[in-house]
Every structure is written in structure tokens, then in C-alpha cells.
Amino acid sequence: MPRRAPDAATTPPARATIGDVAREAGVHPSTVSRALNPATRSMLSEAVALRVADAAQRLGYRASALAAGLRTRRSRTIAILVPDLVNPIFPPIVRAAEIRLAEAGYATLVANTDNDPAREEWLVSRMAEHLVDGLLLASVAQGSSALALAARFAIPAVLVNRRLPGSTAPAVTNDDRAGIALAVRHLLDLGHTRIGHLAGPAGVSTATDRRAGFRSALRAAGIDPATAPILAAGAYSAPAGLAATTALLDAHPTLTAIVCANDMLCLGAYDAIAARGLAVGRDISVTGFNDMPFVDRICPPLTTVRIQHAEMGRSAAEMLLEEITRPGGTRRDLRLGPTLVVRGSCAGGPGRALGAAAPRPPIPHPRGA
Amino acid sequence: MPRRAPDAATTPPARATIGDVAREAGVHPSTVSRALNPATRSMLSEAVALRVADAAQRLGYRASALAAGLRTRRSRTIAILVPDLVNPIFPPIVRAAEIRLAEAGYATLVANTDNDPAREEWLVSRMAEHLVDGLLLASVAQGSSALALAARFAIPAVLVNRRLPGSTAPAVTNDDRAGIALAVRHLLDLGHTRIGHLAGPAGVSTATDRRAGFRSALRAAGIDPATAPILAAGAYSAPAGLAATTALLDAHPTLTAIVCANDMLCLGAYDAIAARGLAVGRDISVTGFNDMPFVDRICPPLTTVRIQHAEMGRSAAEMLLEEITRPGGTRRDLRLGPTLVVRGSCAGGPGRALGAAAPRPPIPHPRGA
DNA sequence: TTGTAAGCGTTATCAT
DNA sequence: ATGATAACGCTTACAA
């Protein structure tokens, strides 16, 4: 008697199993397995392999990844954890990683941690339960247990964009100190002397590295970093940038330039500056970091530090693939070089005439409801 | 003899299984299963449940989702397929869905189809193999097999943002026709009569619905739609928008306003208009669709049709959860109402003086490299 | 309240 | 070259 639900008429046709295919092809299930696995197909006679492929096709057979994974302990799946999907720097990174991983036969799953360590932990656990073959972590911050969990479950992991100081995990990040130095140098060259830094949230490597870079760039220029105000935003977001910039300008009204730790913060800085009736670029210069999509179109276009989004995703994927094939083989810490993109958000400092090359002072647009 | 790899010293501690926990707690594996499953814990004596929980904790036990799924045919996981992660309208939708699904205990996986039907098909198959419990599809277009595959594998699926005409699948979309009518009405009220439509790519419901909406809005205003030029872009992207707008203006140089099928296209339209030495808002008015993040900050700020991103994600998640518990229960087709957000990209038409309420003509900023 | 045993759909290791 | 068999780790009737 064929196994069948009582209400077979309404029940969707049960998914074909390897046994069904075997029966259809008149062979043993293990033969089906061999025929459908490219690595083992060569063991079989041409005729049988073809017959099995045919039967599988007819039944629309798809191997159960669960059953297979249970045996092989592999899922041909990679998860990538991002802290905030709304921040447009991540999609390009994800996309590049995805392309490289797909070439290697891996499906890429993106999960959003929302900058919440608890959620991150939950997600890594879920991924571990599902036996993902590797983890690309763009979300780690100090105190994050993602890396420890990955190690615990023996899941290869590679850090992207953010490092974790003290960790030995492979990582692909930006040279954040060099990047910020580019921005500071640019401002100094324009004649600014009262420069503040809008730092990123505590515990995130991009925040601490860029903050350190800010201070050392100033020092390298013969300026005492102690005289340059630094204020950390609560998050890499526009609202946090708005609040922090307001506080920064309240405390230091003579500032003529602000170096922001990332582009999202700049958006808030723009708002804060506009709220004071000042114009970005004319009254106060602002620099960003990341050159995320769309900042070339905001008003005024943002002068920012461009990072190699695609290269970052691609090489992180590459590193993860290596790590999967030879665990612990290459514990590399790759730092990608940033460049400065000069647009319209910086002008000459006080007491210095605007040169011909300086951008036209922007007229702010009314922002509708 | 305990099962142990020969080089136990260097091998990571094998992941604890339910058997390990059972041994540790001095009970049978099935008891462990019951103790750890909230739904069955009540069958057990308090003491045993506690002892098991303790043992599990000590061993860092995590149930294998694969083994469990193999039995239960469920994974407590939902996948959401988006056509293009770089388009900022999707993250807010994803985020809202994620929140609702997490409440129900589901992990949400995002996958990027890249607008590639083959990749979409591949991803759905992979998701099916991994027994995702449901699919949120933001990626479907005409000829897309995602829905058929989902049905084939009996995976509940809900469409988001894009409909599939002729399909009976539950869907949460915008009232695209009404949305475009808002934009057209606004332009007509400003005095424009030579209005063109930059349509979306073929086969996508948002494109066809908005195109139809454009024509009927014109007709409702007593204008013959045949006199209004329509050109379809090859994709919902800035480059496609640039190319299409250039072609549209070449063919119809007297146009004073362009209704774009979405915001990404507007970005390209801005570029095309600037390339002709014209100013958006002053010489040519432009409207968008979606009110995606950042278009309030571009130059000039975009007048666009706002959709309910969060509500869309939330109610799609809700619908999917219903569909999972009662398959085929509610075949609903929810249309969310759009609103118009007036910003700075539209001005009065030719021969009509700019009223006091009209936006200041924008001065374009130079876009640095 | 807890133990027993069968089975989910594969693949790997034996035989033949 | 193919078939038989035994796991993989879990859940769930059913038995006790």
C-alpha cells in the first residue's frame, strides 16, 4: 500500500524522496545519491547515471538539504550578519561577497542584528543550529559574543568592516586611521584650525580607530589634540548625529569644521547645522567616512573618505572560503586603503579667502514634510 | 570507550548532542527533548526538567535544527527575497517584517535576487531544501517561477510591494494607481500640461500599475493620454533612469514635468536634466515614488509619493504567519494607501507665475568625482 | 512521569 | 559498478 494521506485529493503531492527516485529508476537509493552527486557520478555507468537523472527530473526531485546536512555536516550556506540594513554601506559589501560565494556554490543569507548584541547572539546560534558553513560578521563590537559562539560551534568566521581588537579572527577592514588622516589633512589645507570630531559609538572598532586617527593626524600637523573637541554619538545614525552635533556646537561654538566618523552621522550633522541657521560648507565644513551610496547627491554633496566596498566584500568572501577549506590556515588581517572624495561640504577656514577651486557656497533647500 | 577523535587535544570539543545531555542528566534522550521543548516541559517533574536544563547549560547544548527539522519538517525560519538590496526602500520593509516575525519566534533571512529570475529560482529552491517555513517575496515579476516553486514545495508565500496579476497568492502592495494619480494631480495643479512618464521595467507590477495610473489620471483631468509621452526604463536604477530620461527629453523637448515610476529612476532623471544644463524643479519638474530614505536630502529634495514601508513589512509578516497556521485561510490582497510628499523638485508650469508657496528655484551643486 | 523504538532523508562504508 | 546497512540527531506515538 503506497503511503498516502487519507485526503490525498487535496494534499499537495508529497515531495519526492531519494527512495522514490530509486524506485522510479529501478536502482538502489545509494545509487541515486551517487548519480546526483557530481563528485561521485563517475563511479556509475553512463546508462544508469542517465536513467537516474531522468527519473529525478520526472519526479521533480530535490534532495533534502536537512537530511544531507545531517549526514555531511555541511549546508553550502553562508550567513552574513550586518548591524543595520538601513545603512547603505552594507548592501554593496554584501552584494560583492554574495557574488564570490555564489561562484563557489554557496547561498548567502543576510541577517540584520540591529546593533543589538542579544539579537546578534540569537542569530549566530540559529545559524549554528542550521549548520551554516561560514559566517561573515560585519556586526561585531566590543563585548560581542558572536566570534566566541562561532568558535564554539567550529564555524569559520571572518570579520568585515569592523575589527575586534585582541581577536585573532581573520578580518577585512579599512585603514581607518589613514582615512581620517586624509580628511583632517584636507581641512587643515583649507585653513581650518578649530576642527571637532564627531566620533562613533563606543565599542565599535571603526569608532575608536577613527578617533585615534583624528588625534594622531592633528598631532602630526603640530596641533595639540587636546585642543580639539571630540564627542561620541550614541549610534551610527542620523538622529544620533543630530543630537551629538548639537551638543558639540553648543559646547564649542567657534568650530569651523567637523570630521564625522561616518556618513550617517553627517546626515544628522547637516540637520544640526541647518537648525542653527548655518550653512554646511559655507559656515561649517563637514567630512564623512564611507562614501556610502547617495551622499554624492545630498545637499551639499558630501566630501568624504571613500572605502573599497566591493573589494571588502569580495576579499572577505575569499578569506572565508580559504578558512573553510583550511581552517586556521590564514589568519590574515587585511586593511584596505581609503581615498578622499572632495565634493561640496568643505570650504576655506576663517580668515582665508575662498580660492577659485573652492566650491560655491550652497544654498540650503527647504526640506518638505 | 567514549567516542573521541584521536587528536582530541587539538580537536574542538564535539558539539554536544541530545544523548550527551541525557547521559549528563541521567535521563533518557526523549526526556531531554521534552524538557527543552516549552510545549512539553509540563509533562515532566520539576526536578527532572531542572536537572536537564542544567546539564544542557553545562554542555552548551544546542539542538541541531537539521535533525529537528528532519523530523518536524519545520525550521522556524522565514526567508525574504528582495530584488535589489541597494534600493533603500527594501531595508525598512525588511526591518518591519523582521520585528513581527521575531516576535513569533522566527529568524528572518534576507536574500538578494539581483532582479535575476534564475537567481531567484535558485534561491527559492535552496530555501525549500532548507525547509524555510515561509517566504516573503518582494522580488516577483512576470514570468517569475518563485511562486510556482513555493507552491510546489508547499511553502506558504506572501507577495510584498509587487503583485503578480493573475496569481491568487496573498499580497501586500501599494495602491500604485492612486499614488501616481496624486503626483499627476499635483503637477496639473501647478499648471503643467506637457507631462511625461518615466515608466518602470517591463513585467513588474509596480511599473504596469503606475503606468496605467498615469494614463487614467490624465484622462480623469480631461487630457488625452495619447498626447503624453511614456518611456520605460530598463531597470529601477539610476543609470537606467538617466538613459531613459535622456531619450525621453530628446524625443519631447517641450516637456515641463516628468512623473517617475520610482525614486531610483529620479536619481537618473536628475542627472539627465543636469546634463542638459537645466535645473530640476525650475526648468523641469520631477516626481518620484516610494519616498525612499535619503530622497529628502538630495538636491533638490524630491517631491514623491510616500508609501507605508513599515506597515507593508509588518502586515506582510502578519499575513504570512496566518498563512502558516491556516494555509489557504486568508487569500487577501491588501493595498496600502499612499500619500504625496511635496518637497522641492516641482515648480509651476510654463506661463504660470510661481506662487508664494512655490519652492525657491534650486541652484545645483557641482558633483565632485 | 518517564523509557522504548521507529523514522525523518540522506550519505558513507562496507560488501558483492 | 551497484546493493545493503548503518549512522547523522532529533521527535513522538506508544508502552510502562
Side-chain angles (χ1 to χ4, degrees), chain A residues 144-182:
Chain A
S144 166
S145 52
L147 224 36
L149 275 174
R152 204 186 166 319
F153 297 131
I155 304 176
V158 171
L159 302 181
V160 201
N161 192 48
R162 298 180 180 178
R163 311 181 296 122
L164 194 59
S167 143
T168 66
V172 183
T173 54
N174 302 298
D175 190 337
D176 286 324
R177 302 179 62 120
I180 282 292
L182 254 27

Side-chain angles (χ1 to χ4, degrees), chain A residues 3-94:
Chain A
R3 68 187 169 101
R4 239 172 192 300
D7 54 345
T10 63
T11 303
R15 242 182 86 161
T17 74
I18 202 170
D20 298 331
V21 179
R23 211 171 308 121
E24 177 85 5
V27 295
H28 193 270
S30 54
T31 303
V32 174
S33 174
R34 286 188 274 250
L36 267 26
N37 181 340
T40 51
R41 190 194 342 270
S42 53
M43 303 178 171
L44 268 37
S45 76
E46 189 70 6
V48 171
L50 234 63
R51 190 144 45 90
V52 170
D54 238 56
Q57 171 76 42
R58 259 199 308 285
L59 299 180
Y61 169 73
R62 312 244 48 179
S64 158
L66 264 52
L70 190 55
R71 266 303 318 218
T72 62
R73 315 203 51 73
R74 257 173 291 106
S75 64
R76 306 284 310 157
T77 295
I78 302 285
I80 170 162
L81 265 54
V82 301
D84 178 13
L85 256 190
V86 179
N87 184 335
I89 77 153
F90 295 109
I93 296 174
V94 169

Side-chain angles (χ1 to χ4, degrees), chain B residues 300-363:
Chain B
L302 185 67
T303 291
T304 187
V305 177
R306 171 177 293 168
I307 65 171
Q308 303 183 47
H309 302 96
E311 179 56 22
M312 184 177 297
R314 203 201 56 72
S315 51
E318 198 67 52
M319 227 177 242
L320 183 56
L321 290 171
E322 281 179 36
E323 194 67 17
I324 288 171
T325 48
R326 276 180 297 107
T330 43
R331 289 250 170 278
R332 290 200 294 141
D333 182 2
L334 184 59
R335 301 282 171 109
L336 267 20
T339 51
L340 186 73
V341 187
V342 177
R343 290 196 273 245
S345 62
C346 301
R352 168 175 291 222
L354 286 154
R360 231 178 316 164
I363 295 183

